[in-house]
Amino acid sequence: MRRRVTELNVSTRYGGTECLVYTIKTYGQRCVCYDLLSQQSKVLNCPQCGGTTIVRGIYTPIKSSCLILNQNAIESVATDTGTVEADSDAVLLPHYPLVRPGDLLYLKQVGRLYNINNINTIEYKMDVVKQICQISVEDKGSTAWQYILNQNQIT
């Protein structure tokens, strides 16, 4: 735990910004809005699941730090699958928490919620060291925003 706190302090001290990572539940009890035939939500803005079709579908946020990459830096980042595209914003996240496409990222400095679209990991000896994530802005009226505001999870 002490190492984790030290890593967060160092990352924010050297140009990183504080953020909250909201991981989306992928299993659990289905919400009442879930339709078995279509395998989708029947309700557009369900207050119980936040559009994930799983009861309390978003975990409590995890405090982390990230480094926002500008367009010039995005073009120069090379990964094992190629270079990160320059048409979307990107952030550099530490090894914890491991994120998946569809997870949410709230940047405190900007006050915006972002959807994580694509993740490229940097590994050393089969351990994840850093994560480069392509992100897109989530609309203020979206289901995820409403769910997070209703749960008072922005701290």
Side-chain angles (χ1 to χ4, degrees):
M1 182 68 179
R2 184 174 177 88
R3 180 175 174 232
R4 168 85 179 106
V5 172
T6 305
E7 181 180 319
L8 178 64
N9 291 339
V10 169
S11 297
T12 55
R13 186 180 300 155
Y14 297 111
T17 59
E18 288 186 37
C19 63
L20 297 173
V21 178
Y22 295 91
T23 54
I24 305 296
K25 287 186 179 181
T26 55
Y27 61 90
Q29 180 184 356
R30 289 288 182 183
C31 185
V32 294
C33 73
Y34 183 70
D35 184 21
L36 288 172
L37 294 176
S38 65
Q39 296 184 351
Q40 294 178 358
S41 177
K42 294 184 249 180
V43 182
L44 184 61
N45 293 325
C46 181
Q48 271 129 30
C49 67
T52 62
T53 69
I54 295 174
V55 177
R56 293 186 302 275
I58 300 174
Y59 288 107
T60 54
I62 300 169
K63 289 184 180 180
S64 185
S65 63
C66 66
L67 182 64
I68 302 170
L69 302 175
N70 59 13
Q71 296 298 331
N72 296 333
I74 293 172
E75 292 174 352
S76 65
V77 174
T79 62
D80 56 345
T81 58
T83 57
V84 179
E85 297 176 9
D87 61 348
S88 64
D89 294 329
V91 294
L92 183 67
L93 290 170
H95 67 284
Y96 177 82
L98 287 176
V99 294
R100 295 182 303 255
D103 288 348
L104 302 169
L105 181 73
Y106 178 77
L107 296 179
K108 290 184 175 184
Q109 179 183 8
V110 183
R112 287 189 183 158
L113 187 69
Y114 292 90
N115 188 10
I116 297 174
N117 299 325
N118 189 12
I119 299 119
N120 292 315
T121 58
I122 299 171
E123 297 179 358
Y124 178 72
K125 294 186 179 178
M126 298 179 62
D127 288 328
V128 175
V129 179
K130 298 287 179 188
Q131 303 171 88
I132 302 170
C133 306
Q134 292 180 349
I135 56 175
S136 60
V137 178
E138 191 77 22
D139 293 333
K140 288 267 186 183
S142 71
T143 308
W145 255 113
Q146 298 305 318
Y147 180 79
I148 289 171
L149 290 175
N150 290 340
Q151 301 295 322
N152 294 326
Q153 290 186 349
I154 296 179
T155 55

